[in-house]
Amino acid sequence: MKDVRRKVRRSQTIVPFGVGGIIDLRGESFVAADIRSWAVNGERVESPRLAAKLGVQGFRSAPVIPSGKAAYAARIGPVYVRFPKWLFCPQCREMKRWHSDLEVRDKQPTCGHCAGKSQLAPMRFIQVCRAGHMADIDWHRWAHSKSEGHAQRQCQLRRLRFVASPESSGLDALRVICVACRAGRDLAGISQKNILKQIGLPCPGTHPWQSETDEADTCEETPQAVQRGASNVYFPITHSAIDIPEPAGLPEEDELTQKVVNHTLWPDFNSANGSPISDAFRTVIANQCEVTEEFVEAVRRRYTEEVSWMPSRVDSDGDLSIAEWAAFSVPESVADSKTFSVRRTHLGISHDNPKSMQELDSGISAVVVADRVREVRALEGFSRYEPSSGDREEGEGGHVVSVNTNARAQWLPAIETYGEGIFIAVEEERVSTWEKLPAVRDWTRRIERNLDASFKADRLRSKTGPELLPRFVMLHTLAHQFIRQLSYDSGYNAASLRERVYARSHAPGSELPAQAGVFIYTAAGDTEGTLGGLVRQGQPPNLVETLIRLLESAQWCSQDPLCADSTGRSLANLNRAACHACTLLPETCCEIDNSLLDRTLLIGDGKVPGFFRRVIQAALEESAEAVDLP
């Protein structure tokens, strides 16, 4: 962005203003161009596990523009181009097709006819298609679409006005008029399906940052007119991974070995083992570390043998939760590092505590606080009009557009964030017994039937696994209630907290350990470390009080009984007893778009026993005993 008033934080270059996303600033509208604009200046972000899953060489974050250097932003940082190109003057209503030659640094587009130099406003409607293309609507053709054919052919003066009639309301009151021949058409019905196809407007096959003559694709999709700020204009596809260090079993090495292992090419050398480029990496590392190539190879072999016992970095289905679950559930197996430091703690429950706390302690198998945690979030691409089904090719959902629209992306834009968190694992034997109850199993199958029929099925299955287990819905709901309660107790607002649910089912016959836990963490993109509020809440006696309070608050909702008795809520009926008043969170918190939530599986009702039902019953009995009767 050229103007100092047009600022975008680094974290926003991933979501919500990543490649293909529209941003509104002071009455102006821009769209983020693809990563070719800042490929050379991007700062490298390390995340081997995530890179292996996505099949790329690495990640880069957008370069930070130094203070006072906003004039150089277009040359060293991400490019945002003006979109839509069609603008209009709010005073004289004259429309103008803008182009880059008219841009003046640090200036907004203004009307050349009005005395006050009124700032031009972007048109409200644009066109998108399922192939991911986005373009301006041809307003000249729209204005003449209800005129006689000869009138449109004879009209060569492309001057338009966007007028608003006070005599009517809604889209009927907005009209595009040709100044030359007075032909015009209002915007009524512009959102109807195939309306643009009916007037002969095809998809140009381009993105706003591409040239319509040199980079246009042949697109057979039918364009659809949508509002510029509509939710179906942009569906970003993001991935994240927590940085897990090497196992604690790796002994301390001498100075030369540490020098080799810390070399910038060491990760590439390790991953390229056996390939022709491996020899080149070995030679460079040996020369720069002033050791022999045999020494470098010996370090690599020892390194491989030492860490071979760790869970695979990427499972056959790309599941990154395996190594994360191993690190959190057995924190002693992982060495502390500058980016990852965890330690086991407990609820601090004894025989002197109330029965409700003892019941809670019996259902929790592990509590771990993370003093330091690093997360990498990457943007793979986006889709438009319909969310992608997860396939890079066209299918039932929208087509996935890569962050590099010219060639296959060798690297992806990403950010690294630092923070702290609390990990809680529930007792595996107890949750397995609970899952086998017929009422719990049948209740979850009803949710799974809606999941199978949803357009988000493929994306959600990547989180839940091949089978939707009751523990996933229960733990996901627990994570949401946990975040809501922590926003009161820890000092962080809910939007600054994020969840990771470890309850994924594995393929039949898999020897991977069962998972049953949640990790609630906060991460800041511009600073290392956070306020420490989550770590304090993870220590006794704070954590047990937080958990008891969240379970008590989950018993009721201001929308009850409608919420509690719901048989299907939200998009595609993927939620049950969960609404904005009791369970839903800001979209930045949830990893699966506020789906697959149900308070019933958490606390129970008359038909379905919740996992923490005994905790709630004991708390209610204690409250009744504490009431002094006259």
Side-chain angles (χ1 to χ4, degrees):
M1 312 293 289
K2 295 182 179 180
D3 194 335
V4 294
R5 293 169 295 181
R6 304 166 182 167
K7 295 182 179 180
V8 177
R9 294 195 302 270
R10 175 181 279 182
S11 60
Q12 293 177 319
T13 61
I14 304 301
V15 173
F17 308 132
V19 175
I22 294 178
I23 176 174
D24 288 310
L25 292 172
R26 297 176 179 267
E28 299 179 275
S29 179
F30 302 89
V31 64
D34 66 2
I35 60 176
R36 289 177 293 168
S37 60
W38 52 281
V40 178
N41 301 297
E43 299 178 15
R44 186 173 179 178
V45 177
E46 297 291 341
S47 183
R49 296 170 57 243
L50 187 58
K53 173 187 176 180
L54 300 179
V56 295
Q57 296 178 358
F59 306 96
R60 298 178 190 176
S61 62
V64 175
I65 309 303
S67 178
K69 301 292 184 180
Y72 303 98
R75 292 188 302 202
I76 66 176
V79 171
Y80 288 78
V81 300
R82 191 176 300 280
F83 179 83
K85 296 291 195 302
W86 275 106
L87 312 174
F88 71 94
C89 175
Q91 293 185 13
C92 69
R93 313 301 294 188
E94 187 86 9
M95 292 178 62
K96 187 175 184 62
R97 173 81 175 183
W98 202 258
H99 53 84
S100 58
D101 295 340
L102 299 175
E103 291 285 353
V104 179
R105 196 181 72 183
D106 298 346
K107 300 291 184 181
Q108 291 109 343
T110 57
C111 180
H113 303 289
C114 296
K117 295 291 184 180
S118 176
Q119 178 181 336
L120 299 181
M123 290 295 289
R124 183 188 305 178
F125 284 88
I126 58 176
Q127 69 177 44
V128 298
C129 78
R130 289 182 176 85
H133 300 124
M134 182 170 67
D136 282 271
I137 295 175
D138 188 341
W139 293 111
H140 184 265
R141 180 171 292 188
W142 177 268
H144 294 85
S145 59
K146 286 193 174 181
S147 303
E148 296 295 334
H150 69 278
Q152 181 175 349
R153 290 193 298 269
Q154 293 174 357
C155 181
Q156 299 297 328
L157 184 62
R158 304 178 74 87
R159 287 187 58 191
L160 303 173
R161 296 184 70 224
F162 184 51
V163 299
S165 173
E167 300 176 356
S168 58
S169 59
L171 295 179
D172 296 343
L174 303 176
R175 189 176 184 85
V176 179
I177 299 176
C178 176
V179 176
C181 65
R182 309 307 300 172
R185 180 174 180 176
D186 59 43
L187 301 189
I190 193 172
S191 297
Q192 293 179 2
K193 192 174 183 179
N194 298 331
I195 187 66
L196 298 182
K197 183 179 180 180
Q198 293 173 9
I199 64 175
L201 285 179
C203 176
T206 59
H207 304 283
W209 57 88
Q210 291 181 321
S211 169
E212 295 185 5
T213 57
D214 300 331
E215 299 181 274
D217 298 327
T218 301
C219 182
E220 302 296 335
E221 291 287 347
T222 300
Q224 176 71 22
V226 296
Q227 292 198 52
R228 178 167 45 89
S231 59
N232 62 344
V233 169
Y234 184 59
F235 297 100
I237 301 172
T238 60
H239 305 270
S240 68
I242 291 179
D243 188 13
I244 303 298
E246 302 304 337
L250 192 63
E252 292 293 330
E253 304 288 357
D254 55 55
E255 184 178 351
L256 286 179
T257 302
Q258 287 294 331
K259 191 174 182 180
V260 169
V261 172
N262 293 331
H263 193 279
T264 56
L265 291 180
W266 177 257
D268 298 323
F269 172 59
N270 250 346
S271 60
N273 183 30
S275 64
I277 199 174
S278 176
D279 297 336
F281 285 142
R282 185 190 303 109
T283 301
V284 173
I285 294 175
N287 291 337
Q288 294 184 359
C289 294
E290 299 179 346
V291 296
T292 63
E293 293 187 28
E294 290 76 12
F295 181 83
V296 175
E297 182 62 26
V299 173
R300 186 198 62 76
R301 286 198 302 268
R302 182 182 181 188
Y303 178 92
T304 304
E305 293 172 358
E306 293 283 357
V307 302
S308 60
W309 63 272
M310 284 291 288
S312 61
R313 290 178 177 269
V314 182
D315 194 22
S316 57
D317 57 357
D319 183 14
L320 296 178
S321 68
I322 300 172
E324 295 175 11
W325 170 259
F328 285 125
S329 59
V330 190
E332 300 83 5
S333 66
V334 183
D336 286 351
S337 68
K338 294 181 179 179
T339 61
F340 190 82
S341 176
V342 295
R343 51 192 170 91
R344 187 183 295 273
T345 183
H346 53 83
L347 294 179
I349 304 300
S350 65
H351 296 292
D352 298 331
N353 289 106
K355 182 180 178 182
S356 61
M357 294 186 177
Q358 296 182 25
E359 287 287 353
L360 179 63
D361 187 51
S362 65
I364 303 296
S365 62
V367 177
V368 176
V369 293
D371 297 288
R372 295 189 302 273
V373 66
R374 172 179 176 265
E375 181 196 32
V376 174
R377 304 173 196 165
L379 176 66
E380 181 184 16
F382 63 90
S383 62
R384 302 197 192 278
Y385 191 61
E386 291 181 350
S388 168
S389 62
D391 190 356
R392 288 177 173 80
E393 302 299 329
E394 294 184 32
E396 295 182 359
H399 177 77
V400 177
V401 180
S402 172
V403 291
N404 187 340
T405 54
N406 191 44
R408 183 181 181 276
Q410 300 298 318
W411 59 272
L412 299 177
I415 56 169
E416 54 182 353
T417 59
Y418 300 85
E420 59 176 344
I422 305 173
F423 171 81
I424 296 178
V426 299
E427 182 63 44
E428 175 59 33
E429 183 178 353
R430 185 170 176 178
V431 76
S432 297
T433 303
W434 171 75
E435 283 183 316
K436 295 176 183 177
L437 296 175
V440 173
R441 187 173 60 252
D442 294 342
W443 187 261
T444 308
R445 285 175 179 172
R446 298 172 189 172
I447 303 177
E448 189 167 25
R449 282 195 292 268
N450 291 339
L451 172 60
D452 291 334
S454 170
F455 64 88
K456 298 196 297 183
D458 292 338
R459 182 174 183 273
L460 296 180
R461 286 294 188 190
S462 66
K463 297 293 185 180
T464 66
E467 179 185 0
L468 178 63
L469 299 177
R471 70 176 69 190
F472 186 94
V473 181
M474 182 271 293
L475 288 171
H476 188 209
T477 309
L478 174 65
H480 278 234
Q481 296 293 340
F482 202 3
I483 289 176
R484 292 170 71 95
Q485 189 62 44
L486 285 172
S487 68
Y488 298 112
D489 298 341
S490 67
Y492 292 108
N493 61 68
S496 66
L497 302 178
R498 291 171 63 87
E499 68 172 12
R500 297 183 88 84
V501 180
Y502 300 100
R504 192 179 189 276
S505 61
H506 300 299
S510 174
E511 298 181 357
L512 294 171
Q515 303 175 2
V518 297
F519 180 50
I520 307 301
Y521 63 102
T522 180
D526 300 325
T527 181
E528 295 188 20
T530 51
L531 301 178
L534 288 191
V535 171
R536 283 196 298 271
Q537 287 305 124
Q539 305 285 349
N542 298 330
L543 182 58
V544 65
E545 295 175 357
T546 297
L547 293 175
I548 292 292
R549 282 196 294 268
L550 76 86
L551 291 175
E552 290 177 343
S553 64
Q555 292 182 92
W556 70 277
C557 170
S558 60
Q559 298 295 324
D560 285 342
L562 295 178
C563 178
D565 297 339
S566 172
T567 57
R569 301 176 69 92
S570 76
L571 194 63
N573 292 327
L574 294 178
N575 291 337
R576 289 297 189 267
C579 68
H580 285 284
C582 62
T583 307
L584 303 189
L585 294 172
E587 292 184 0
T588 55
C589 302
C590 183
E591 57 182 355
I592 54 172
D593 306 327
N594 277 321
S595 302
L596 304 179
L597 296 164
D598 185 10
R599 289 184 293 126
T600 302
L601 292 178
L602 184 67
I603 60 174
D605 62 6
K607 299 178 181 179
V608 181
F611 181 77
F612 291 99
R613 177 183 57 177
R614 289 189 291 182
V615 179
I616 295 298
Q617 290 176 343
L620 291 176
E621 292 173 359
E622 292 163 3
S623 299
E625 293 174 358
V627 176
D628 294 330
L629 298 177

